[in-house]
Amino acid sequence: IIIRFRDNENKCNLKQFVSLVMFLSPPHSPILRRIPDITKNTMSNSEQLLSINDHDFTMRPGFGGPAVPVGVDVQVESLDTISEVDMDFTMTLYIRHYWKDERLSFHSTTNKSMTFDGRLVKKIWVPDMFFVHSKKSFTHDTTTDNVMLRVYPDGKVLYSQRVTVTSMCSMDLSRFPLDTQTCSLEIESYAYTDDDLMLYWKKGNNSLSTDENISLSQFLIQEFQTTTKLAFYSSTGWYNRLYITFTLRRHIFFFLLQTYFPATLMVMLSWVSFWIDRRAVPARVPLGITTVLTMSTIITGVNASMPRVSYIKAVDIYLWVSFVFVFLSVIEYAAVNYLSTVQERKEKKLRERLPCTCGMTHPGMMGSYSEEDVNNTGNYGCMLEENGAMKQQRMMVHLDIEENNQITGHVGSSAYSSMWVDTHAIDKYSRVIFPGSYTLFNIIYWSCYL
């Protein structure tokens, strides 16, 4: 059959042409025979060797029989972060599973194993492990999925993954920052109870290995341990659970520099006011207020990076005791200033009740007051008119009991002496009591927490 048509003649299009050829061709004509597409063959040589399609891999090995043993070993690559605020830790590790599945056995003259990537994992049975109390976990996929499957001729299987997991860690911060924390990573089967799957550490205590270069900025890793326990769920039953337990001791040097030393220096700075004259109000008051505000800033900065726990931490005890010492130094000056004012007022009232004895001084008062005190607070001027001019003479109250009784007939020196308070002595005692008490507190504090 010859069909002729010109390009410029629109007698039939290509679709009509193909339909006509198929209609006129015999049933077994080579024109209708299709070439097979070998790229659509879903069975690879390895899958045919393992007889993947000949078994139901949705069931565990030896279904209906005893529990399948699954050994586990772990290599810790890094311990990334420890968060006190979120109460968790992040760890990157290699987790390997070992079991035997006779359905995957194959004939091999060289007795060599076959290694596959993650594509075959989805077609066979693998243990359904998960991390108990984990907040987030993932299998690394750069540049491909970090999954390895190795099958031996007798059916033994090695399944390895590189995983990063963030898991919960319940911390006791009552001794922070002088604390030691113990965290654990727990591995368990999600669906299979201990009747179907027996989970165990492949090499006992040697099943856990760590990188020698693992280190943390705030913690010293003391030890890693592996244990096995049974976990019970009321609705499903008993499950084997593997524990990776590690102990961390916090480095104290950072907190000594950032918290303890500044707080101690602020307390010592507040003691400087005990050596400043009590009449120097502009010097002593700002010094006390500055130390109080600085201590408040230190306490706020420490608590900002800590969880809001309902108990007192060790650092809280130190900071608040230091804050109390700084605050008491301010109260001490307020007491000295107040007592001095009250004393001067009483002296003034008593002097007004006694006759003016010019040119007389009391030796006891001269020993306690400076010349400026005498001029400003302890003197009274007798205004005498001499030659038409007013002259002032300095006078002190004479506190002799006998003379006072003879002149005024009132109780004089005994009453005055009873209300005498040496305000200088308060500062003198504070110079010894405050440093001594704070030193004693530090001895008790560090002996209890170190």
Side-chain angles (χ1 to χ4, degrees), residues 354-369:
L354 297 178
C356 184
T357 56
C358 299
M360 301 180 63
T361 59
H362 191 273
M365 296 181 64
M366 291 300 293
S368 299
Y369 279 87

Side-chain angles (χ1 to χ4, degrees), residues 91-95 97 118 121 129 131 136-148 159-166:
M91 177 187 294
T92 301
L93 52 89
Y94 299 93
I95 180 170
H97 309 79
V121 173
M129 297 294 105
F131 299 100
K136 180 178 65 176
S137 60
F138 62 92
T139 302
H140 290 261
D141 55 1
T142 306
T143 56
T144 59
D145 292 341
N146 295 174
V147 176
M148 185 269 289
Y159 175 46
S160 177
Q161 293 176 289
R162 181 170 177 256
V163 181
T164 294
V165 56
T166 300

Side-chain angles (χ1 to χ4, degrees), residues 5 7 17 48-49 53 64 66-67 71 124 147 153 181-182 194 238 249 285 296 311 347 385-386 399 402:
F5 63 92
D7 293 339
F17 174 74
Q48 294 176 1
L49 181 62
N53 290 339
I124 66 172
V147 176
Q181 301 296 338
T182 300
D194 60 341
W238 293 90
R249 182 173 180 83
V285 172
S296 301
Y311 49 84
E347 290 176 358
E385 185 175 357
E386 187 179 42
L399 297 177
E402 296 179 357

Side-chain angles (χ1 to χ4, degrees), residues 103-164:
R103 296 172 295 184
L104 296 176
S105 59
F106 60 92
H107 177 71
S108 175
T109 57
T110 59
N111 199 28
K112 291 184 178 180
S113 61
M114 292 190 298
T115 302
F116 307 93
D117 56 17
R119 289 173 290 184
L120 185 63
V121 173
K122 300 178 181 179
K123 300 180 180 181
I124 66 172
W125 181 90
V126 294
D128 57 340
M129 297 294 105
F130 79 104
F131 299 100
V132 185
H133 305 309
S134 65
K135 297 181 179 180
K136 180 178 65 176
S137 60
F138 62 92
T139 302
H140 290 261
D141 55 1
T142 306
T143 56
T144 59
D145 292 341
N146 295 174
V147 176
M148 185 269 289
L149 184 71
R150 183 171 295 169
V151 182
Y152 294 88
D154 58 354
K156 292 182 179 180
V157 182
L158 165 61
Y159 175 46
S160 177
Q161 293 176 289
R162 181 170 177 256
V163 181
T164 294

